[in-house]
Amino acid sequence: MLPLLSSMDSIHKLLNIVLPLISLLSLFIFLPAILLFKISSSILRSVFSENVFGKVVLITGASSGIGEHLAYEYAKGGACLVLVARREKQLQEVACKARQLGSPDVIIETGDVSKVEDCKQFVDAALNHFGKLDHLVNNAGIAPVCMFEDATNVDDFAQIMNINFWGSVYCTHFAIPHLRKSRGKITVVASMAQWCPVPRASIYCASKGALVSFYETLRTEVGSDIAITIVAPGFVDSEMTRGESKSKAGMDGFLMESTEECTKAIFKSICRGDRYLIEPAWVRMIHLWNLLCPEAVESFIRWVLITRPNNSNPNPNSGQLKAD
């Protein structure tokens, strides 16, 4: 056993030297071809963008924010909608506007995505009413606003993961057999927080990172049967980031994108069949800098959101806003 382990250790040492050199050489040789392929593929996807007319779309967290406005974008394209959230009155209002914008049929389902039985009910309702399911948009989530060490009840962390992560996983599990039949699509609304160290959002960042890891793996499992688009929005002006929550997070005066513009970009990306979307596009530069020099990004974000002068609330108490 010991000689075998010693041999394996020697192989690892060799690979530590050889594999990086081979990878860099291969990248230098094949990078132009890879870039050409990506550009050509992007152009083709834009030209042959999906027509959602008559498609059945289930959207979680549809009572406000990104979920609400995605419902409007799908409605303009003539899609049939299953709108899911916990707040019935707001859902009714969104459904009414979606019908006015062109959706031929809209049903609403109230429930909690953190409950397995509710997630099954959402998918069953779509199948019972429409007979099929073409798109699943996993958008429901909550955004905690609290320094980790100031949290008064650590049990609340489980709720964040239950809604932001497990809520998407449960709905996806029940939807997959039907999406395979329709060769449909799954969209998951993650966040730039998955790779950007946002203060007062440690568990939120973790939940979004878990989402990305799960759906990247799932994409490998389902292959070409189901397309998966992972969306990473930046700071979006929505219910989650307004008023007291915005002040607690230290984002007063922070540059935000309107929900309408963000959802238009997301909808186009879904129809193109993109694997990833970072919106707005300039946020990609934060991702790049975070890869190249994470120390600089960490220091800058800490200054902007915690220690900069005139920060209205440098040490906020616990709080959170629900996104659905």
Side-chain angles (χ1 to χ4, degrees):
M1 190 67 176
L2 288 176
L4 178 61
L5 289 175
S6 178
S7 176
M8 293 297 292
D9 288 341
S10 298
I11 293 174
H12 283 297
K13 290 177 181 178
L14 178 63
L15 289 176
N16 287 340
I17 298 172
V18 174
L19 198 56
L21 294 175
I22 295 175
S23 299
L24 288 173
L25 180 61
S26 300
L27 185 63
F28 178 78
I29 294 173
F30 295 110
L31 184 59
I34 293 171
L35 292 176
L36 180 62
F37 171 78
K38 285 185 173 293
I39 293 171
S40 301
S41 178
S42 178
I43 293 172
L44 287 174
R45 289 198 307 272
S46 297
V47 172
F48 298 102
S49 186
E50 180 182 8
N51 183 355
V52 299
F53 184 83
K55 296 293 178 70
V56 177
V57 183
L58 191 160
I59 304 174
T60 67
S63 63
S64 67
I66 290 176
E68 173 189 353
H69 288 276
L70 273 178
Y72 299 154
E73 293 300 319
Y74 272 108
K76 293 173 187 176
C80 300
L81 302 175
V82 182
L83 305 180
V84 172
R86 288 177 288 192
R87 300 177 293 185
E88 184 174 3
K89 181 180 178 181
Q90 286 89 336
L91 271 183
Q92 292 283 10
E93 293 172 355
V94 175
C96 181
K97 185 172 180 179
R99 294 186 187 99
Q100 294 172 356
L101 289 172
S103 179
D105 197 358
V106 183
I107 64 172
I108 67 170
E109 288 290 321
T110 56
D112 187 342
V113 295
S114 67
K115 298 178 180 178
V116 176
E117 59 273 16
D118 284 10
C119 293
K120 186 177 187 303
Q121 173 57 33
F122 303 151
V123 175
D124 288 345
L127 270 294
N128 293 336
H129 188 85
F130 295 108
K132 65 173 183 174
L133 180 62
D134 298 294
H135 286 203
L136 170 65
V137 179
N138 291 304
N139 169 71
I142 58 175
V145 181
C146 175
M147 298 291 270
F148 180 75
E149 63 181 318
D150 294 334
T152 56
N153 188 356
V154 295
D155 288 341
D156 291 342
F157 297 155
Q159 183 192 23
I160 298 166
M161 292 299 296
N162 287 340
I163 294 175
N164 291 5
F165 176 70
W166 289 112
S168 294
V169 172
Y170 295 153
C171 289
T172 298
H173 176 75
F174 295 116
I176 277 182
H178 313 291
L179 293 173
R180 279 190 185 275
K181 291 178 183 178
S182 62
R183 297 189 69 82
K185 293 182 176 179
I186 297 172
T187 301
V188 55
V189 179
S191 171
M192 64 173 284
Q194 65 194 345
W195 37 256
C196 187
V198 181
R200 305 184 183 94
S202 54
I203 306 300
Y204 176 79
C205 294
S207 69
K208 294 302 184 178
L211 272 181
V212 173
S213 181
F214 171 76
Y215 283 98
E216 285 179 339
T217 304
L218 184 65
R219 185 188 282 135
T220 305
E221 292 185 5
V222 299
S224 60
D225 290 348
I226 302 172
I228 297 177
T229 298
I230 299 173
V231 179
F235 291 110
V236 179
D237 182 25
S238 68
E239 196 176 79
M240 191 182 286
T241 55
R242 289 182 191 141
E244 183 183 1
S245 179
K246 185 176 180 179
S247 178
K248 285 180 178 180
M251 294 190 296
D252 288 323
F254 203 78
L255 183 63
M256 291 191 178
E257 184 180 26
S258 69
T259 309
E260 292 83 355
E261 286 302 309
C262 181
T263 49
K264 286 178 182 178
I266 293 172
F267 180 69
K268 290 178 181 178
S269 182
I270 294 170
C271 293
R272 286 195 304 265
D274 294 344
R275 291 167 60 88
Y276 295 95
L277 173 69
I278 298 177
E279 176 61 28
W282 64 264
V283 175
R284 298 173 187 173
M285 296 303 100
I286 300 178
H287 189 196
L288 178 62
W289 277 104
N290 195 50
L291 289 173
L292 296 175
C293 191
E295 298 88 354
V297 173
E298 179 184 316
S299 298
F300 176 74
I301 291 176
R302 179 173 176 80
W303 179 80
V304 169
L305 296 181
I306 297 181
T307 62
R308 68 186 166 101
N310 301 322
N311 192 318
S312 61
N313 197 355
N315 292 295
N317 295 320
S318 178
Q320 67 184 29
L321 264 181
K322 292 176 174 59
D324 65 355

